[in-house]
Amino acid sequence: MFVDVWDPGFGASFEAAPAGPAAPSSQQVDANVELPAVDWRAIDVRRGMRAPDVVLLVDGVRRIDASVWTAEADGGSYPGVAASYAAGVVRCDLERGAAALAGAKVGRGLFTASPSAREVRAGSVRYPVHRVGGSGELNKLQAAVQGPLTALEVEVSGAARIDGDLLVVDGPLRNRRQLPRTLGYVKTQHSQYLDARLTTVVTGLRAGQRCPVFRLGTAWGGYSWYLRLPVASGAPWAGIVRVECSAELSEQEAIALADLSLVTLPRFASTPYKDPRAPQNLIPIAGLERRLRALLGDARLLHRALTAAARAGRGHRR
């Protein structure tokens, strides 16, 4: 038995399916990209491989400022959420050993399926309407915030980027696969893509090693690999992250990015006394998250302003 190094308030670094962590994946996986599946083994840093001079790390945060309900003319009602979200980029100059915020932007919105909903002004803050399809069930509204947040991440990363910089996106790439020289960084493993034999290679990795590149045949597709960050715990999935890149790359380009990730990402790993999600929550990303949450503004003040705006709107209709 091993104790997960993550604070349990953040869940677990590996969330196994009911069938267990060794259950074969139902997804289509091509494990023969870099090495034949029968020859899979741990891969160390290639000789002569060096990290890029500049690494850009992108992340976004979101927060529900208030849950709302509309009163329609026909007597019906629709749920909605007033949400704030922000995206930012940290520029890490590895030659100088310095990191700085390269750009950040805040967005807000009222997410609802209501046909009558209009933009809400809470003091000087605007919540434009983002119309959600269907009946707009409450549990789907929070997920609807992800689309505008992803668009904001693409916008800020594009504005801060110079050709040749390595871009690391916190989370799966999804519809950001068109960005060149970009890695998706997945720190919590919700799915088990490999069969039991190949998974043994992953859980047997030492710190600073990666598994061979494989290709996923999911809806989003793409090349992927696992690597282990520096970690003290001996638990099978401790310090394991999954990294991915675009399916539009050649196999050799994907392998080159995998080699680059292995010499780059471990140097950003956090430590347990600094971060409850160590080592997967990279130090620059943790700092960026704190900065972005501050940019969202005071949640209590925004909730109060939204409540006042709703009361004023009802009074205006009367």
Side-chain angles (χ1 to χ4, degrees):
M1 183 175 69
F2 298 91
V3 176
D4 198 320
V5 295
W6 279 28
D7 184 319
F10 289 95
S13 56
F14 178 84
E15 297 186 6
S25 171
S26 60
Q27 302 289 345
Q28 294 181 350
V29 176
D30 179 6
N32 301 293
V33 173
E34 184 172 5
L35 291 175
V38 295
D39 295 331
W40 261 44
R41 56 176 173 77
I43 296 175
D44 293 293
V45 174
R46 309 279 189 193
R47 182 176 298 178
M49 195 74 193
R50 62 183 296 271
D53 295 335
V54 174
V55 180
L56 300 177
L57 295 102
V58 184
D59 196 13
V61 298
R62 57 185 178 178
R63 185 186 67 203
I64 304 302
D65 295 330
S67 296
V68 303
W69 291 89
T70 67
E72 305 297 324
D74 61 1
S77 183
Y78 289 87
V81 293
S84 296
Y85 48 94
V89 183
V90 175
R91 185 179 188 275
C92 298
D93 188 327
L94 301 186
E95 280 195 323
R96 296 174 47 238
L101 183 67
K105 195 167 184 179
V106 176
R108 306 185 199 274
L110 174 64
F111 295 80
T112 180
S114 167
S116 66
R118 295 178 296 176
E119 177 183 280
V120 175
R121 290 182 177 270
S124 60
V125 178
R126 296 171 53 249
Y127 289 84
V129 174
H130 291 259
R131 205 81 60 188
V132 178
S135 58
E137 296 91 336
L138 191 57
N139 61 347
K140 295 182 179 179
L141 295 176
Q142 295 189 23
V145 182
Q146 186 60 45
L149 174 55
T150 299
L152 205 61
E153 291 177 357
V154 172
E155 181 181 343
V156 297
S157 58
R161 194 168 194 184
I162 300 174
D163 290 342
D165 291 345
L166 179 66
L167 183 67
V168 180
V169 175
D170 189 48
L173 287 178
R174 294 193 176 94
N175 57 349
R176 295 169 288 195
R177 295 183 182 277
Q178 77 282 3
L179 299 175
R181 203 169 160 80
T182 300
L183 300 176
Y185 177 82
V186 183
K187 55 179 174 279
T188 302
Q189 309 311 315
H190 296 282
S191 302
Q192 179 59 275
Y193 295 106
L194 304 174
D195 64 31
R197 186 177 59 82
L198 299 183
T199 296
T200 301
V201 176
V202 175
T203 56
L205 295 174
R206 298 195 305 270
Q209 291 183 325
R210 67 172 178 87
C211 77
V213 174
F214 56 96
R215 184 163 182 158
L216 294 173
T218 61
W220 293 106
Y223 298 99
S224 192
W225 58 94
Y226 293 95
L227 63 83
R228 193 186 293 271
L229 300 172
V231 65
S233 171
W237 286 90
I240 295 287
V241 297
R242 186 173 66 83
V243 189
E244 59 182 32
C245 64
S246 174
E248 298 179 3
L249 300 174
S250 69
E251 292 183 356
Q252 291 307 312
E253 289 173 326
I255 293 169
L257 281 176
D259 286 336
L260 193 62
S261 72
L262 190 57
V263 77
T264 303
L265 296 177
R267 64 193 303 158
F268 296 127
S270 52
T271 53
Y273 75 90
K274 288 184 177 181
D275 195 301
R277 289 176 288 173
Q280 287 97 322
N281 200 37
L282 303 181
I283 292 173
I285 290 178
L288 178 59
E289 287 176 342
R290 290 192 294 269
R291 182 68 176 271
L292 293 177
R293 289 192 182 100
L295 292 176
L296 294 181
D298 189 290
R300 294 168 298 178
L301 292 178
L302 287 169
H303 190 277
R304 188 183 307 166
L306 284 163
T307 303
R311 288 173 179 167
R314 291 196 297 272
H316 178 72
R317 285 200 300 271
R318 287 194 296 269

